[in-house]
């Protein structure tokens, strides 16, 4: 087996948005950068996320943005302040990709897809001198050397400074497999276990629901524990999924019950009055259709979760405003859009340097933070990548 060794100025491990932004910061500071990626091409998860429309960030002020990160907000504050949502939009436009904000404030490139932005970014980085090596799988350290399994055998790199941007542990087929926790954990660096975030909810449906699989429940209210959201979910074969559900991940992960408000724009008293006006002999399905004005999928869900259905208007109105959906918890980790857990903040310096290994920095979903979808995930990956790269650039080695 070939075993080669070489020295480099700056090493970035991981070719997703955080790693590319760290490389950008290092190159912009005049450092020479080698970036390695275990997959055959860069930014695979980024490209997959952009297939249905690349949500770059959210058009809102820093304080509103930070609130989306929950307990991690104080730790992320300096990074988000250094690259706030408006700066993310400006960055994309600087790469020749105009952006626009949708009705909910979500910011997208006009091209919608991730590929044009990625091509422009990689062209910029190549112009700055970035060297990339794909199919290089990092396997840890041997003293000062970073070890890689490559198509040509084992290679060892002696970097003056390193940035780890190895991702979380969701979508392993795209490169975020969490294997880095082994060598990093061996250092004694504290790592919080990975758990799913922005994940579907597992519900065991009866055959009654089969005609409605794939149907959306639009503009509903959702609550789990102390968390609430409003949006759309889809009834899937395995349960429920969708943007309205994802902000509730922290509470659902802890086993909180899920409640749905199927008529969020109608006060309970008005809903009760509608139900009282309906013919007393109407079937349960007709009452839900005519008086409550629920679409077919919502009616089916009520019958699935609340049979036998009460005929008393007050009780039925209250039920429709807080329908309890029995569930079996979040979907498995590798089916989640993102994760909670990772390198704990108490093992990092303010510059995102590992206290257990000076000269090694970390960024992106490796860090212990989570956020709902809506541009927050990519914003934090870019912001922490920029922050780690800038601080790594100051390291002399």
């Amino acid at each position: 087996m070939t075993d080669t060794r070489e020295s480099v100025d700056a090493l970035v491990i991981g070719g997703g948005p955080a790693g590319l932004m760290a490389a950008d910061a290092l190159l912009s500071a005049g450092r020479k950068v080698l970036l390695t990626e275990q997959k055959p091409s860069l930014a695979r998860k980024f490209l997959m996320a952009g297939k249905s429309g690349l949500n770059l960030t959210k058009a809102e002020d820093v304080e509103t943005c930070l609130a989306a990160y929950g307990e991690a907000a104080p730790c992320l504050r300096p990074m988000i302040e250094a690259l706030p949502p408006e700066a993310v939009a400006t960055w994309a436009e600087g790469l020749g990709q105009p952006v626009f904000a949708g009705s909910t404030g979500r910011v997208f490139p006009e091209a919608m897809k991730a590929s044009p932005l990625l091509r422009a970014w990689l062209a910029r980085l190549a112009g700055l001198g970035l060297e990339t090596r794909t199919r290089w799988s990092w396997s840890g350290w041997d003293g000062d050397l970073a070890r890689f399994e490559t198509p040509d055998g084992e290679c060892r790199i002696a970097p003056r400074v390193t940035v780890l941007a190895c991702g979380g542990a969701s979508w392993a087929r795209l490169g975020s497999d969490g294997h880095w926790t082994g060598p990093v954990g061996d250092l004694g660096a504290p790592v919080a276990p990975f758990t799913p975030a922005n994940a579907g909810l597992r519900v065991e449906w009866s055959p009654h629901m089969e005609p409605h699989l794939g149907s959306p429940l639009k503009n509903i209210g959702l609550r789990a524990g102390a968390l609430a959201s409003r949006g759309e979910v889809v009834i899937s074969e395995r349960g429920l999924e969708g943007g309205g559900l994802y902000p509730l991940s922290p509470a659902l992960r802890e086993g909180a019950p899920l409640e749905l408000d199927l008529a969020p724009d109608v006060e309970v008293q008005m809903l009760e009055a509608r139900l009282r006006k309906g013919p007393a002999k109407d079937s349960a399905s007709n009452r839900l259709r005519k008086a409550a004005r629920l679409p077919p999928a919502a009616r089916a869900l009520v019958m699935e979760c609340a049979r036998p259905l009460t005929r008393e208007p007050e009780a039925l109105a209250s039920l429709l405003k807080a329908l309890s959906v029995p569930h079996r918890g979040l979907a498995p980790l590798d089916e989640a859009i993102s994760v909670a857990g990772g390198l704990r903040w108490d093992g990092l310096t303010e510059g995102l340097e590992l206290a257990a290994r000076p000269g090694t920095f970390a960024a992106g979903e490796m860090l212990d933070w989570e956020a709902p979808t809506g541009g927050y995930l990519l914003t934090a990956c870019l912001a922490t990548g920029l922050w780690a790269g800038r601080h790594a650039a100051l390291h002399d080695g």
Side-chain angles (χ1 to χ4, degrees), residues 302-317:
V302 174
M303 300 302 290
E304 174 78 4
C305 299
R307 284 182 295 182
L309 202 62
T310 177
R311 298 192 64 83
E312 204 287 312
E314 182 178 1
L316 182 54

PDB file of all heavy atoms in Angstrom, residues 302-317:
ATOM      1  N   VAL A 302     -59.092  13.224  11.265  1.00  0.00           N
ATOM      2  CA  VAL A 302     -59.940  13.296  12.449  1.00  0.00           C
ATOM      3  C   VAL A 302     -60.556  11.924  12.743  1.00  0.00           C
ATOM      4  O   VAL A 302     -60.540  11.443  13.886  1.00  0.00           O
ATOM      5  CB  VAL A 302     -61.049  14.356  12.261  1.00  0.00           C
ATOM      6  CG1 VAL A 302     -62.025  14.311  13.443  1.00  0.00           C
ATOM      7  CG2 VAL A 302     -60.439  15.745  12.134  1.00  0.00           C
ATOM      8  N   MET A 303     -61.071  11.292  11.716  1.00  0.00           N
ATOM      9  CA  MET A 303     -61.684   9.977  11.910  1.00  0.00           C
ATOM     10  C   MET A 303     -60.642   8.934  12.323  1.00  0.00           C
ATOM     11  O   MET A 303     -60.943   7.997  13.077  1.00  0.00           O
ATOM     12  CB  MET A 303     -62.388   9.542  10.629  1.00  0.00           C
ATOM     13  CG  MET A 303     -63.503  10.495  10.185  1.00  0.00           C
ATOM     14  SD  MET A 303     -64.800  10.720  11.422  1.00  0.00           S
ATOM     15  CE  MET A 303     -65.585   9.110  11.372  1.00  0.00           C
ATOM     16  N   GLU A 304     -59.413   9.096  11.852  1.00  0.00           N
ATOM     17  CA  GLU A 304     -58.337   8.173  12.205  1.00  0.00           C
ATOM     18  C   GLU A 304     -57.949   8.296  13.671  1.00  0.00           C
ATOM     19  O   GLU A 304     -57.692   7.293  14.355  1.00  0.00           O
ATOM     20  CB  GLU A 304     -57.110   8.442  11.330  1.00  0.00           C
ATOM     21  CG  GLU A 304     -55.876   7.641  11.681  1.00  0.00           C
ATOM     22  CD  GLU A 304     -55.926   6.207  11.181  1.00  0.00           C
ATOM     23  OE1 GLU A 304     -56.907   5.845  10.482  1.00  0.00           O
ATOM     24  OE2 GLU A 304     -55.001   5.446  11.466  1.00  0.00           O
ATOM     25  N   CYS A 305     -57.910   9.527  14.164  1.00  0.00           N
ATOM     26  CA  CYS A 305     -57.331   9.779  15.480  1.00  0.00           C
ATOM     27  C   CYS A 305     -58.366   9.945  16.595  1.00  0.00           C
ATOM     28  O   CYS A 305     -57.998   9.891  17.775  1.00  0.00           O
ATOM     29  CB  CYS A 305     -56.463  11.040  15.439  1.00  0.00           C
ATOM     30  SG  CYS A 305     -55.073  10.945  14.304  1.00  0.00           S
ATOM     31  N   ALA A 306     -59.640  10.162  16.248  1.00  0.00           N
ATOM     32  CA  ALA A 306     -60.595  10.551  17.294  1.00  0.00           C
ATOM     33  C   ALA A 306     -61.890   9.745  17.281  1.00  0.00           C
ATOM     34  O   ALA A 306     -62.877  10.170  17.882  1.00  0.00           O
ATOM     35  CB  ALA A 306     -60.911  12.044  17.166  1.00  0.00           C
ATOM     36  N   ARG A 307     -61.921   8.624  16.588  1.00  0.00           N
ATOM     37  CA  ARG A 307     -63.141   7.806  16.638  1.00  0.00           C
ATOM     38  C   ARG A 307     -63.252   7.064  17.976  1.00  0.00           C
ATOM     39  O   ARG A 307     -62.206   6.637  18.510  1.00  0.00           O
ATOM     40  CB  ARG A 307     -63.144   6.801  15.477  1.00  0.00           C
ATOM     41  CG  ARG A 307     -63.469   7.414  14.138  1.00  0.00           C
ATOM     42  CD  ARG A 307     -63.512   6.364  13.054  1.00  0.00           C
ATOM     43  NE  ARG A 307     -62.200   5.748  12.819  1.00  0.00           N
ATOM     44  CZ  ARG A 307     -61.974   4.821  11.888  1.00  0.00           C
ATOM     45  NH1 ARG A 307     -62.957   4.389  11.116  1.00  0.00           N
ATOM     46  NH2 ARG A 307     -60.759   4.308  11.727  1.00  0.00           N
ATOM     47  N   PRO A 308     -64.478   6.878  18.506  1.00  0.00           N
ATOM     48  CA  PRO A 308     -65.752   7.376  17.974  1.00  0.00           C
ATOM     49  C   PRO A 308     -65.881   8.883  18.196  1.00  0.00           C
ATOM     50  O   PRO A 308     -65.555   9.389  19.273  1.00  0.00           O
ATOM     51  CB  PRO A 308     -66.799   6.606  18.780  1.00  0.00           C
ATOM     52  CG  PRO A 308     -66.115   6.311  20.080  1.00  0.00           C
ATOM     53  CD  PRO A 308     -64.667   6.094  19.744  1.00  0.00           C
ATOM     54  N   LEU A 309     -66.346   9.577  17.170  1.00  0.00           N
ATOM     55  CA  LEU A 309     -66.378  11.029  17.182  1.00  0.00           C
ATOM     56  C   LEU A 309     -67.562  11.539  18.003  1.00  0.00           C
ATOM     57  O   LEU A 309     -68.694  11.081  17.825  1.00  0.00           O
ATOM     58  CB  LEU A 309     -66.477  11.539  15.751  1.00  0.00           C
ATOM     59  CG  LEU A 309     -66.020  12.976  15.490  1.00  0.00           C
ATOM     60  CD1 LEU A 309     -64.548  13.124  15.832  1.00  0.00           C
ATOM     61  CD2 LEU A 309     -66.261  13.336  14.029  1.00  0.00           C
ATOM     62  N   THR A 310     -67.284  12.463  18.906  1.00  0.00           N
ATOM     63  CA  THR A 310     -68.357  13.059  19.700  1.00  0.00           C
ATOM     64  C   THR A 310     -69.301  13.856  18.802  1.00  0.00           C
ATOM     65  O   THR A 310     -68.883  14.449  17.820  1.00  0.00           O
ATOM     66  CB  THR A 310     -67.782  13.976  20.788  1.00  0.00           C
ATOM     67  OG1 THR A 310     -68.872  14.582  21.502  1.00  0.00           O
ATOM     68  CG2 THR A 310     -66.928  15.093  20.189  1.00  0.00           C
ATOM     69  N   ARG A 311     -70.576  13.887  19.162  1.00  0.00           N
ATOM     70  CA  ARG A 311     -71.553  14.673  18.422  1.00  0.00           C
ATOM     71  C   ARG A 311     -71.844  15.990  19.128  1.00  0.00           C
ATOM     72  O   ARG A 311     -72.578  16.827  18.610  1.00  0.00           O
ATOM     73  CB  ARG A 311     -72.856  13.879  18.244  1.00  0.00           C
ATOM     74  CG  ARG A 311     -72.676  12.590  17.445  1.00  0.00           C
ATOM     75  CD  ARG A 311     -74.012  12.003  17.063  1.00  0.00           C
ATOM     76  NE  ARG A 311     -74.752  12.876  16.162  1.00  0.00           N
ATOM     77  CZ  ARG A 311     -74.565  12.915  14.841  1.00  0.00           C
ATOM     78  NH1 ARG A 311     -73.640  12.141  14.269  1.00  0.00           N
ATOM     79  NH2 ARG A 311     -75.291  13.720  14.093  1.00  0.00           N
ATOM     80  N   GLU A 312     -71.298  16.173  20.312  1.00  0.00           N
ATOM     81  CA  GLU A 312     -71.552  17.395  21.074  1.00  0.00           C
ATOM     82  C   GLU A 312     -70.739  18.533  20.463  1.00  0.00           C
ATOM     83  O   GLU A 312     -69.498  18.450  20.382  1.00  0.00           O
ATOM     84  CB  GLU A 312     -71.164  17.161  22.533  1.00  0.00           C
ATOM     85  CG  GLU A 312     -71.860  18.077  23.519  1.00  0.00           C
ATOM     86  CD  GLU A 312     -71.322  19.498  23.450  1.00  0.00           C
ATOM     87  OE1 GLU A 312     -70.090  19.646  23.453  1.00  0.00           O
ATOM     88  OE2 GLU A 312     -72.126  20.442  23.376  1.00  0.00           O
ATOM     89  N   PRO A 313     -71.377  19.630  19.993  1.00  0.00           N
ATOM     90  CA  PRO A 313     -70.673  20.691  19.252  1.00  0.00           C
ATOM     91  C   PRO A 313     -69.501  21.310  20.006  1.00  0.00           C
ATOM     92  O   PRO A 313     -68.442  21.548  19.418  1.00  0.00           O
ATOM     93  CB  PRO A 313     -71.779  21.717  18.985  1.00  0.00           C
ATOM     94  CG  PRO A 313     -73.039  20.917  18.992  1.00  0.00           C
ATOM     95  CD  PRO A 313     -72.836  19.864  20.027  1.00  0.00           C
ATOM     96  N   GLU A 314     -69.653  21.586  21.275  1.00  0.00           N
ATOM     97  CA  GLU A 314     -68.574  22.221  22.030  1.00  0.00           C
ATOM     98  C   GLU A 314     -67.353  21.310  22.106  1.00  0.00           C
ATOM     99  O   GLU A 314     -66.216  21.746  21.877  1.00  0.00           O
ATOM    100  CB  GLU A 314     -69.058  22.579  23.436  1.00  0.00           C
ATOM    101  CG  GLU A 314     -67.993  23.289  24.263  1.00  0.00           C
ATOM    102  CD  GLU A 314     -68.487  23.678  25.639  1.00  0.00           C
ATOM    103  OE1 GLU A 314     -69.660  23.390  25.975  1.00  0.00           O
ATOM    104  OE2 GLU A 314     -67.688  24.269  26.397  1.00  0.00           O
ATOM    105  N   ALA A 315     -67.586  20.042  22.420  1.00  0.00           N
ATOM    106  CA  ALA A 315     -66.472  19.102  22.523  1.00  0.00           C
ATOM    107  C   ALA A 315     -65.826  18.855  21.168  1.00  0.00           C
ATOM    108  O   ALA A 315     -64.592  18.757  21.063  1.00  0.00           O
ATOM    109  CB  ALA A 315     -66.959  17.780  23.121  1.00  0.00           C
ATOM    110  N   LEU A 316     -66.660  18.780  20.105  1.00  0.00           N
ATOM    111  CA  LEU A 316     -66.105  18.543  18.776  1.00  0.00           C
ATOM    112  C   LEU A 316     -65.294  19.740  18.299  1.00  0.00           C
ATOM    113  O   LEU A 316     -64.225  19.571  17.707  1.00  0.00           O
ATOM    114  CB  LEU A 316     -67.235  18.248  17.783  1.00  0.00           C
ATOM    115  CG  LEU A 316     -66.813  17.934  16.347  1.00  0.00           C
ATOM    116  CD1 LEU A 316     -65.805  16.799  16.301  1.00  0.00           C
ATOM    117  CD2 LEU A 316     -68.033  17.601  15.489  1.00  0.00           C
ATOM    118  N   ALA A 317     -65.765  20.945  18.580  1.00  0.00           N
ATOM    119  CA  ALA A 317     -65.009  22.145  18.202  1.00  0.00           C
ATOM    120  C   ALA A 317     -63.657  22.170  18.905  1.00  0.00           C
ATOM    121  O   ALA A 317     -62.621  22.474  18.288  1.00  0.00           O
ATOM    122  CB  ALA A 317     -65.817  23.395  18.545  1.00  0.00           C
TER     123      ALA A 317
END
